Amino acid sequence: MGLEAVKEEIIRNAKEQESALLAEARKEALRVMKEAESKIDETKQKSEAATKKSMEAAKKQALASAEMESKKILLEMKKQIIEKAFDEVKKSLESADEKKREAYIKSLFEKAKKELDVAYVYCNRKDTKFLKNVKTGEIDILGGIITENHERTIRVDYNFETLLEFIKDSEMQSISKILFG
């Protein structure tokens, strides 16, 4: 074998190795590309799932917030309706004719006498005429009476505003059920 033949053999072997290495490199590059694409797809799917989950959570939160706000508005409206109903009752009590007022005052006075030995009665100016044989004093109230014993140590408050507040506080659920079902 001559020098030329060895040289050609080396070049041929080098070209074969080059081809084999290039084929292997292409194969490895293809594998790396596929792996990268797979990771990109996986990351994309995870990102889409996370985005979808975040959007659903935000939607749920917005719906819950809107529902809470609507309940708050509805509750406020119900409260205003109840307040208006009590205002109407106050107006009705204030404008009651003398016969009704007298019946209310006498009934409240009898109730107070069952609770204490009444010595003093405070009431609205126009209601003093309905109370006989008892010391009366005028106070600025819508109507009703406030009574005290002789020592002025015990007081029973049956003025209309106090009675209405008591009814509102103790019967709010019943009133709400009657008005709104």
Side-chain angles (χ1 to χ4, degrees):
M1 225 190 215
L3 193 53
E4 208 42 53
V6 171
K7 181 179 162 188
E8 283 181 27
E9 181 69 28
I10 291 174
I11 290 175
R12 189 182 53 76
N13 279 341
K15 283 185 179 182
E16 284 177 9
Q17 284 181 345
E18 175 187 15
S19 292
L21 284 173
L22 282 174
E24 187 64 33
R26 284 188 194 114
K27 199 175 181 183
E28 181 64 19
L30 189 60
R31 186 191 65 76
V32 168
M33 289 278 283
K34 283 184 180 181
E35 192 177 295
E37 285 176 3
S38 176
K39 284 184 180 181
I40 289 170
D41 284 345
E42 185 181 322
T43 303
K44 184 178 175 183
Q45 287 176 356
K46 284 181 182 178
S47 177
E48 286 173 354
T51 300
K52 186 177 179 181
K53 191 174 180 180
S54 288
M55 287 175 63
E56 286 176 9
K59 184 179 176 182
K60 279 183 183 179
Q61 186 176 5
L63 286 173
S65 180
E67 187 176 332
M68 182 71 85
E69 186 64 26
S70 70
K71 283 181 181 181
K72 185 178 172 184
I73 290 168
L74 182 63
L75 187 63
E76 185 59 35
M77 289 176 73
K78 285 180 179 182
K79 185 179 175 185
Q80 287 176 3
I81 290 168
I82 290 171
E83 286 298 324
K84 188 173 182 176
F86 273 91
D87 287 344
E88 292 297 319
V89 170
K90 279 183 185 178
K91 287 177 186 174
S92 172
L93 288 170
E94 192 172 30
S95 65
D97 62 39
E98 285 215 10
K99 199 171 188 176
K100 277 186 180 177
R101 282 189 82 87
E102 182 177 9
Y104 294 152
I105 298 301
K106 287 184 176 182
S107 174
L108 292 172
F109 183 68
E110 289 303 314
K111 188 173 179 173
K113 285 187 350 185
K114 291 177 183 174
E115 294 186 37
L116 75 145
D117 184 19
V118 176
Y120 304 98
V121 179
Y122 303 97
C123 61
N124 185 308
R125 174 183 286 180
K126 58 185 171 183
D127 294 335
T128 58
K129 62 186 168 203
F130 304 130
L131 298 163
K132 309 287 186 223
N133 303 323
V134 66
K135 291 181 184 176
T136 60
E138 294 176 14
I139 58 173
D140 186 25
I141 58 174
L142 176 70
I145 60 173
I146 298 172
T147 59
E148 291 181 334
N149 63 357
H150 288 282
E151 298 81 25
R152 294 184 176 191
T153 56
I154 300 174
R155 178 179 272 196
V156 176
D157 186 350
Y158 286 141
N159 85 71
F160 291 162
E161 290 98 333
T162 302
L163 293 172
L164 286 173
E165 281 302 314
F166 175 77
I167 291 168
K168 191 188 317 181
D169 291 344
S170 64
E171 299 297 324
M172 184 57 78
Q173 259 188 333
S174 300
I175 293 166
S176 184
K177 193 172 187 177
I178 290 167
L179 291 175
F180 309 112

